[in-house]
C-alpha cells in the first residue's frame, strides 16, 4: 500500500554520523519532528537545531515551506537559523582576518535564505555590515563578501532602503567612481546603487549627487559584460526616477558624453553576443530615450504663437523657394490667397490656418518638429515630395502635411512613446543606437516610404486610411527583421513594395484559407482531433525539455534563475534553482524539487496568480501580467511562473492544461491548429486540384428492377 498523503520518507544527515531513513508526519509540529531526530542521535537542546535541504540552496525548512519536502528528499540536521545568525554575527567581528573572511563568505551564502535573513536582521546585522563598509578597512574578497551579503539580505524586502546614511552611500559611490576596482566589488556596488535609486526617492537624490554619468562611462568601455549591464541599469534607474523637468537635461549630458556611440562600439558591435539581461537594459534605455518625445507629442500648437507659426512659414519657404514678402507687397487678400494655395500644396487639412492641424494630440508639436527636420536635413527629398504631389490631380495627391501628422502618431504607437518599459522585454533595435536623432531619421525614411506606397497604390484621398495600414505593415515587417542600421532598414523597406505586401497577404491568406463547402468542412472536422493530438504531444515534449524561468524581484537580478521540466512519463514536474542561465537542457537529477502531476488542482493565469496580487509597480506591469501563471496544488500551495515570452507562456499553459485533461485554449494553439489543418487539407486535396467538389454528395442510383444478373468472367 502507498504511504498516507501526510507521510514523507526522507534521509536525514548529521556530520560525522550515518544518515537516518525516517518517515516525517506532516501533521506533527516541525519542532516535534526535530526533537525526534535529535533524540535519535542523543543530541540535547533540540530548540537549537533545524532542518535544511541538503542541496545547493541549503534553505531552512519551516512550517511555511515544509510542504515542499518530497518523498526521497535528503535533509540536513544543522544549527537553527537564530543560532547560526548569532554565531556569524560574532564571527564577522573577529580580530582574526581568516576567521572574519570565512564568516563573511558563509554569511553571503546563507543570506539567500529568507528564514536566516530574518534572524540576522533581527540582530541588527544590516547596521553592522554598513558600519563595516563605512569604516573602509576591508578590501578585496572581504569587501566583496560583505557587499554580497548586504545585497542578498536587502533583496528580501524586509528592511526599507530609506534607512541608510549619506556616509554609506558615499562609500558605495566611491567604489564605482574609482578607475581600478575589484570586479566583484564594482558589480555589487552598481547593484546597490541601482536598488537605492529604484526603491527610494530620497536615496535617488543622494545617489544623483554622488554619481555622474562621466564616472559611469569608463565602465562601459571595459570588456566585462556584467559590469556593462549593471552600469546601463544604473543609468536607466537614474533616468527613470529623475523628475520630468530634469530628464531632458540628463539626456543632453548623455549626448555630450557620447553614451550612444560608446554603447554602439563597446556593447552592440562588440565580438560578444548580447545576453538577455543586457538586451533588456538596452531596451529600457531605448524606451526611456523615446519617452523624452512625450512632452512634444502631448503639446498642442498655439495658433496665436508667432514662433510656432514661423516654423510653418519655414516649411513653405523651403518647399517653394520664396522669401517672406514685406507687409506692403500686394493686397492682404492677394497674400492670403497665395498662402492658402501653398498650404493646400503642402497637404494641410486647414488651408487657411494650418496651425489648427497641430492641435490634435497625440502627435501635437512632435509632427511639426519631424516635418521641419525632414525639410532641413533632407531638403531635396522634401521639395521633390511636395512639388510632385502639388502637380498631381487633386484627388491623387498625397497630402504631405496630413500624412506627416498621421505617420508621426503611428510611429509613436509602434515605439510606445510615453509608456513605461516592460520588466522583461528584451526587444531593443540596434538601428536606434546609430544616430543621435534616430526618431527624426526614422520619420524621414518612413515619410518617403509613405509617398512611394501612395504612388504604387495609385491612391486617392478616399484611400488615405488604407495606405496608412499598408505603410504600418511595411514598417512592422521591416522592424521585425531587426536591422542593424537605418540603411539596412531602408533596404528592407525597398523589398517590401505594395506589390510584395499583396503577395505576402495572398500567401498568408492561402495558408489560412478556410474552405466553406460541406465536404471540406466535414473533412476538417474529421482531421481536427488528429491535429489537436499532434499539438498536445508537441506541448508535452516541450515541457519534457523544460524551460529556464527568471525570478523577478523589486530589483532586477541576472543571477536568479530556476528551471522546470516534466518527467518523460508525464507524471512529475521537476524544478529547482540555478546559479546561472543554462546553455541547454538541465538534467532531472540536478533539480531538487518535485511536484506530482496528480497533485495539481488547477492552473491560474494573469491577475488571478498570487504573485501578481502583491502590491508594487512590477506587479501592475501589463506585460508581466500577460506572462504570469501559477500551479495550484495541495490545499493552498502555489508554484508561480513568469514566462520568458508569450510563446513559452502558451506552450506551458497548453501543456499543463493537457496534463489535466482540459482544453488547450491559447492563441498559439489556435494559430498552430489553423496552420497544420490548412497544410493537411492541402495535402489531402492535392489530387483534386482544378476539380470542382460538389456541394452535395452525388445521388445514390435507384435499385435495379431485379437482381438476376451475373457477370461472365469468360
Amino acid at each position: 500500500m502507498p504511504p498516507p498523503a501526510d507521510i514523507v520518507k526522507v534521509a536525514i544527515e548529521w556530520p560525522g554520523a550515518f544518515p537516518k531513513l525516517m518517515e516525517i508526519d506532516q501533521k506533527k509540529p516541525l519542532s516535534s519532528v526535530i526533537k525526534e531526530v535529535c533524540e535519535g542521535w542523543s543530541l540535547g537542546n533540540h530548540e537549537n537545531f533545524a532542518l535544511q535541504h541538503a542541496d545547493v540552496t541549503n534553505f531552512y525548512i519551516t512550517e511555511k515551506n515544509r510542504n515542499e519536502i518530497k518523498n526521497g528528499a535528503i535533509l540536513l540536521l544543522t544549527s537553527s537559523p537564530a543560532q547560526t545568525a548569532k554565531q556569524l554575527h560574532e564571527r564577522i567581528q573577529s580580530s582574526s582576518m581568516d576567521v572574519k573572511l570565512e564568516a563573511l563568505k558563509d554569511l553571503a551564502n546563507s543570506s539567500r535564505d529568507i528564514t536566516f535573513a530574518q534572524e540576522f536582521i533581527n540582530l541588527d546585522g544590516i547596521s553592522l555590515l554598513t558600519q563595516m563598509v563605512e569604516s573602509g578597512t576591508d578590501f578585496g574578497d572581504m569587501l566583496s563578501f560583505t557587499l554580497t551579503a548586504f545585497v542578498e539580505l536587502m533583496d528580501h524586502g524586509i528592511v526599507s532602503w530609506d534607512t541608510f546614511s549619506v556616509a554609506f552611500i558615499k562609500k558605495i559611490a566611491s567604489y564605482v567612481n574609482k578607475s581600478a576596482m575589484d570586479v566583484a566589488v564594482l558589480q555589487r556596488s552598481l547593484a546597490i546603487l541601482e536598488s537605492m535609486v529604484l526603491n527610494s526617492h530620497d536615496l535617488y537624490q543622494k545617489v544623483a549627487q554622488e554619481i555622474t554619468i562621466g564616472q559611469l562611462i569608463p565602465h562601459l568601455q571595459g570588456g566585462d559584460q556584467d559590469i556593462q549591464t549593471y552600469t546601463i541599469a544604473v543609468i536607466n534607474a537614474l533616468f527613470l526616477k529623475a523628475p520630468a523637468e530634469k530628464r531632458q537635461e540628463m539626456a543632453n549630458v548623455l549626448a555630450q558624453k557620447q553614451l550612444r556611440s560608446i554603447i554602439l562600439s563597446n556593447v552592440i558591435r562588440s565580438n560578444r553576443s548580447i545576453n538577455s539581461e543586457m538586451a533588456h537594459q538596452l531596451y529600457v534605455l531605448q524606451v526611456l530615450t523615446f519617452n523624452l518625445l512625450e512632452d512634444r507629442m502631448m503639446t498642442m500648437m498655439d495658433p496665436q504663437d508667432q514662433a510656432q507659426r514661423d516654423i510653418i512659414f519655414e516649411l513653405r519657404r523651403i518647399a517653394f523657394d520664396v522669401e517672406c514678402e514685406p507687409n506692403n507687397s500686394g493686397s492682404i487678400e492677394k497674400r492670403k490667397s497665395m498662402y492658402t494655395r501653398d498650404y493646400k500644396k503642402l497637404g494641410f487639412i486647414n488651408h487657411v490656418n494650418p496651425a489648427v492641424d497641430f492641435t490634435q494630440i497625440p502627435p501635437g508639436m512632435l509632427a511639426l518638429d519631424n516635418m521641419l527636420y525632414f525639410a532641413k536635413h533632407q531638403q531635396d527629398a522634401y521639395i521633390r515630395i511636395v512639388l510632385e504631389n502639388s502637380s498631381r490631380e487633386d484627388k491623387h495627391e498625397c497630402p504631405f502635411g496630413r500624412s506627416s501628422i498621421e505617420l508621426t502618431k503611428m510611429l509613436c504607437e509602434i515605439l510606445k512613446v510615453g509608456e513605461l518599459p516592460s520588466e522583461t522585454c528584451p526587444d531593443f533595435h540596434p538601428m536606434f543606437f546609430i544616430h543621435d536623432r534616430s526618431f527624426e531619421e526614422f520619420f524621414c525614411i518612413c515619410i518617403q516610404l509613405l509617398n512611394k506606397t501612395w504612388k504604387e497604390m495609385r491612391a486617392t484621398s478616399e484611400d488615405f486610411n488604407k495606405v496608412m495600414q499598408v505603410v504600418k505593415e511595411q514598417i512592422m515587417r521591416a522592424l521585425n527583421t531587426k536591422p542593424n542600421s537605418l540603411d539596412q532598414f531602408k533596404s528592407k523597406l525597398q523589398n517590401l513594395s505594395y506589390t510584395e505586401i499583396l503577395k505576402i497577404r495572398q500567401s498568408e491568406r492561402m495558408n489560412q484559407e478556410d474552405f466553406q463547402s460541406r465536404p471540406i468542412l466535414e473533412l476538417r472536422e474529421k482531421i481536427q482531433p488528429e491535429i489537436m493530438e499532434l499539438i498536445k504531444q508537441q506541448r508535452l515534449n516541450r515541457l519534457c525539455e523544460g524551460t529556464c524561468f527568471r525570478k523577478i524581484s523589486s530589483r532586477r537580478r541576472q543571477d536568479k534563475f530556476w528551471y522546470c521540466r516534466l518527467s518523460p512519463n508525464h507524471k512529475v514536474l521537476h524544478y529547482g534553482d540555478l546559479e546561472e542561465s543554462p546553455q541547454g537542457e538541465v538534467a532531472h537529477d540536478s533539480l531538487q524539487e518535485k511536484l506530482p502531476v496528480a497533485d495539481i488542482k488547477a492552473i491560474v493565469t494573469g491577475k488571478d496568480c498570487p504573485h501578481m496580487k502583491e502590491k508594487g509597480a512590477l506587479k501592475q506591469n501589463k506585460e508581466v501580467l500577460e506572462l504570469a501563471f501559477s500551479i495550484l496544488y495541495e490545499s493552498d500551495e502555489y508554484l508561480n511562473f513568469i514566462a520568458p515570452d508569450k510563446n513559452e507562456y502558451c506552450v506551458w499553459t497548453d501543456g499543463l492544461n493537457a496534463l489535466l485533461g482540459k482544453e488547450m485554449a491559447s492563441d498559439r494553439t489556435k494559430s498552430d491548429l489553423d496552420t497544420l489543418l490548412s497544410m493537411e487539407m492541402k495535402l489531402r486535396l492535392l489530387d483534386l486540384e482544378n476539380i470542382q467538389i460538389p456541394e452535395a454528395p452525388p445521388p445514390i442510383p435507384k435499385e435495379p428492377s431485379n437482381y438476376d444478373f451475373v457477370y461472365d468472367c469468360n
Side-chain angles (χ1 to χ4, degrees):
M1 283 183 62
D6 294 320
I7 302 294
V8 285
K9 294 183 176 182
V10 299
I12 301 179
E13 296 177 341
W14 170 250
F18 286 109
K20 282 182 179 291
L21 295 177
M22 186 173 176
E23 291 185 354
I24 294 179
D25 186 350
Q26 293 286 45
K27 287 183 178 177
K28 286 174 70 174
L30 191 59
S31 56
S32 300
V33 174
I34 293 169
K35 183 179 179 182
E36 188 180 330
V37 173
C38 289
E39 287 171 352
W41 274 306
S42 304
L43 299 171
N45 300 322
H46 66 88
E47 61 276 1
N48 291 334
F49 291 91
L51 291 172
Q52 277 182 333
H53 290 283
D55 54 29
V56 290
T57 64
N58 287 134
F59 285 172
Y60 282 100
I61 293 164
T62 64
E63 291 290 355
K64 284 185 178 179
N65 66 21
R66 64 184 295 179
N67 288 330
E68 294 175 10
I69 304 173
K70 305 300 178 187
N71 277 313
I74 300 174
L75 307 182
L76 185 67
L77 183 67
T78 185
S79 300
S80 68
Q83 195 77 3
T84 306
K86 185 180 176 184
Q87 290 169 0
L88 285 175
H89 193 272
E90 291 169 358
R91 285 171 58 207
I92 62 175
Q93 299 177 73
S94 169
S95 56
S96 165
M97 290 296 105
D98 290 340
V99 172
K100 187 175 180 180
L101 178 63
E102 198 60 35
L104 285 168
K105 185 177 179 180
D106 291 343
L107 178 62
N109 187 49
S110 299
S111 295
R112 293 179 299 162
D113 185 352
I114 191 169
T115 310
F116 168 84
Q118 186 69 68
E119 295 293 343
F120 189 77
I121 289 167
N122 289 344
L123 296 172
D124 215 11
I126 294 275
S127 296
L128 178 58
L129 292 178
T130 55
Q131 286 165 20
M132 289 167 64
V133 171
E134 287 172 22
S135 69
T137 54
D138 295 337
F139 300 98
D141 286 345
M142 202 169 286
L143 179 57
S144 171
F145 288 134
T146 304
L147 294 178
T148 301
F150 176 83
V151 168
E152 295 290 355
L153 291 167
M154 290 304 298
D155 210 32
H156 296 298
I158 299 169
V159 178
S160 168
W161 283 93
D162 288 309
T163 56
F164 299 108
S165 66
V166 174
F168 179 71
I169 298 167
K170 284 180 180 289
K171 182 58 73 172
I172 296 295
S174 72
Y175 299 143
V176 173
N177 293 337
K178 283 181 184 173
S179 54
M181 178 51 67
D182 180 78
V183 170
V185 172
L186 178 57
Q187 191 176 3
R188 301 296 183 273
S189 300
L190 287 166
I192 291 168
L193 291 178
E194 183 200 1
S195 292
M196 285 179 171
V197 172
L198 290 176
N199 290 291
S200 167
H201 178 69
D202 288 341
L203 288 186
Y204 154 73
Q205 294 176 319
K206 292 170 184 173
V207 171
Q209 290 170 359
E210 298 297 326
I211 293 287
T212 65
I213 300 300
Q215 290 161 330
L216 291 171
I217 293 290
H219 301 314
L220 292 172
Q221 295 170 317
D224 191 307
Q225 191 172 101
D226 287 342
I227 296 296
Q228 291 175 327
T229 304
Y230 277 108
T231 302
I232 297 175
V234 172
I235 293 170
N236 286 338
L238 289 167
F239 216 140
L240 192 61
K241 291 299 178 179
E245 64 275 8
K246 283 193 175 182
R247 283 182 192 163
Q248 188 59 57
E249 182 185 322
M250 186 176 171
N252 295 337
V253 173
L254 294 177
Q256 287 170 10
K257 298 292 181 183
Q258 297 185 313
L259 175 72
R260 179 196 55 75
S261 58
I262 288 169
I263 289 175
L264 185 66
S265 305
N266 295 281
V267 179
I268 296 173
R269 289 181 175 170
S270 72
N271 295 326
R272 298 181 308 274
S273 60
I274 293 175
N275 62 35
S276 59
E277 181 66 18
M278 174 60 89
H280 172 77
Q281 294 300 343
L282 291 173
Y283 153 80
V284 172
L285 183 59
Q286 173 186 295
V287 171
L288 294 176
T289 304
F290 283 138
N291 280 357
L292 293 169
L293 303 168
E294 185 182 12
D295 184 48
R296 293 295 281 174
M297 182 181 80
M298 300 308 289
T299 300
M300 285 195 297
M301 185 170 185
D302 180 1
Q304 308 307 317
D305 187 317
Q306 188 57 43
Q308 294 179 358
R309 290 167 64 86
D310 285 346
I311 299 175
I312 298 175
F313 292 148
E314 180 68 3
L315 289 174
R316 173 179 174 268
R317 185 194 67 75
I318 296 171
F320 304 114
D321 196 22
V322 293
E323 297 299 331
C324 292
E325 297 84 356
N327 289 333
N328 58 2
S329 66
S331 68
I332 294 174
E333 288 301 320
K334 183 180 177 184
R335 278 192 291 117
K336 274 189 177 178
S337 171
M338 188 166 58
Y339 277 117
T340 301
R341 182 198 68 209
D342 288 350
Y343 290 148
K344 184 176 184 297
K345 288 180 180 178
L346 280 169
F348 291 113
I349 297 171
N350 191 317
H351 306 150
V352 178
N353 185 8
V356 175
D357 287 14
F358 299 98
T359 55
Q360 173 197 350
I361 55 169
M365 288 296 291
L366 185 59
L368 189 58
D369 295 343
N370 282 339
M371 292 167 73
L372 184 64
Y373 183 91
F374 181 49
K376 284 189 169 183
H377 291 82
Q378 300 199 22
Q379 201 171 101
D380 291 345
Y382 167 69
I383 293 170
R384 178 175 52 77
I385 286 175
V386 173
L387 296 184
E388 197 177 81
N389 284 296
S390 62
S391 62
R392 288 187 191 150
E393 294 178 51
D394 280 358
K395 67 173 186 175
H396 281 290
E397 67 178 2
C398 176
F400 174 73
R402 182 185 176 194
S403 299
S404 298
I405 292 167
E406 288 302 318
L407 179 64
T408 301
K409 183 179 177 182
M410 180 202 292
L411 297 182
C412 288
E413 288 171 0
I414 290 172
L415 298 176
K416 299 183 179 177
V417 175
E419 294 185 23
L420 283 174
S422 156
E423 287 291 336
T424 54
C425 180
D427 192 21
F428 84 99
H429 293 277
M431 72 178 199
F432 292 130
F433 290 84
I434 299 290
H435 204 284
D436 285 326
R437 303 288 293 274
S438 58
F439 185 81
E440 289 87 343
E441 290 290 323
F442 187 42
F443 170 84
C444 292
I445 294 170
C446 294
I447 192 66
Q448 294 177 75
L449 167 73
L450 194 154
N451 189 63
K452 172 174 167 282
T453 303
W454 184 282
K455 287 190 290 185
E456 290 172 351
M457 291 177 69
R458 296 178 182 171
T460 63
S461 52
E462 289 82 14
D463 300 320
F464 186 84
N465 291 334
K466 200 182 293 181
V467 175
M468 295 305 294
Q469 287 172 3
V470 173
V471 170
K472 184 173 185 178
E473 186 174 343
Q474 290 170 313
I475 293 169
M476 291 301 294
R477 287 185 185 277
L479 281 178
N480 288 340
T481 63
K482 291 288 177 68
N484 288 320
S485 67
L486 290 163
D487 287 337
Q488 273 191 26
F489 175 67
K490 199 186 297 185
S491 175
K492 299 282 183 189
L493 290 176
Q494 288 294 332
N495 297 327
L496 285 170
S497 63
Y498 176 57
T499 308
E500 186 61 28
I501 290 291
L502 287 179
K503 285 181 185 175
I504 293 170
R505 285 179 174 179
Q506 178 72 12
S507 171
E508 288 177 351
R509 222 176 0 252
M510 291 278 291
N511 290 335
Q512 297 170 2
E513 199 169 34
D514 191 11
F515 303 103
Q516 294 301 320
S517 65
R518 186 177 151 198
I520 301 296
L521 292 174
E522 287 178 357
L523 181 59
R524 280 178 69 93
E525 287 176 16
K526 185 178 178 183
I527 295 172
Q528 190 162 322
E530 298 172 26
I531 302 295
M532 286 302 290
E533 183 61 29
L534 186 66
I535 294 171
K536 176 183 171 182
Q537 290 306 318
Q538 188 272 338
R539 299 294 192 263
L540 294 175
N541 288 341
R542 278 288 293 105
L543 263 61
C544 289
E545 291 172 15
T547 301
C548 178
F549 296 93
R550 186 182 298 277
K551 289 186 175 181
I552 296 181
S553 62
S554 58
R555 181 178 65 79
R556 288 187 57 81
R557 297 287 298 277
Q558 71 180 74
D559 54 350
K560 297 284 184 180
F561 297 99
W562 68 289
Y563 199 89
C564 187
R565 64 181 296 181
L566 180 66
S567 62
N569 63 5
H570 299 172
K571 290 186 177 180
V572 180
L573 281 172
H574 298 263
Y575 63 97
D577 291 341
L578 301 176
E579 289 300 313
E580 57 184 1
S581 181
Q583 297 302 313
E585 288 184 24
V586 176
H588 295 100
D589 301 344
S590 60
L591 301 173
Q592 308 84 26
E593 307 294 339
K594 294 179 183 179
L595 173 58
V597 171
D599 290 352
I600 299 176
K601 307 296 182 194
I603 310 298
V604 292
T605 59
K607 61 184 179 183
D608 295 326
C609 298
H611 58 316
M612 291 294 109
K613 291 178 181 176
E614 299 169 21
K615 293 182 180 178
L618 166 69
K619 310 305 176 194
Q620 307 306 320
N621 188 288
K622 185 182 173 186
E623 289 194 37
V624 174
L625 275 174
E626 290 174 351
L627 298 175
F629 62 98
S630 299
I631 295 175
L632 170 63
Y633 63 98
E634 302 296 338
S635 56
D636 195 24
E637 294 291 325
Y638 286 90
L639 185 60
N640 297 319
F641 298 75
I642 295 177
D645 52 47
K646 191 67 179 175
N647 180 51
E648 288 295 325
Y649 170 84
C650 292
V651 165
W652 274 86
T653 51
D654 283 343
L656 292 170
N657 280 320
L659 286 173
L660 298 181
K662 295 182 179 178
E663 182 187 359
M664 299 184 294
S666 74
D667 294 339
R668 174 78 190 275
T669 293
K670 292 171 188 170
S671 171
D672 287 352
L673 179 62
D674 286 344
T675 303
L676 293 171
L677 258 181
S678 177
M679 288 170 61
E680 184 65 21
M681 292 288 288
K682 285 177 182 174
L683 286 171
R684 296 205 181 193
L685 298 174
L686 209 54
D687 293 336
L688 297 179
E689 196 171 354
N690 299 324
I691 296 175
Q692 184 69 36
I693 301 173
E695 282 294 320
I700 299 172
K702 290 180 180 179
E703 289 189 25
S705 56
N706 64 71
Y707 290 89
D708 301 330
F709 52 83
V710 66
Y711 181 75
D712 187 357
C713 294
N714 298 321

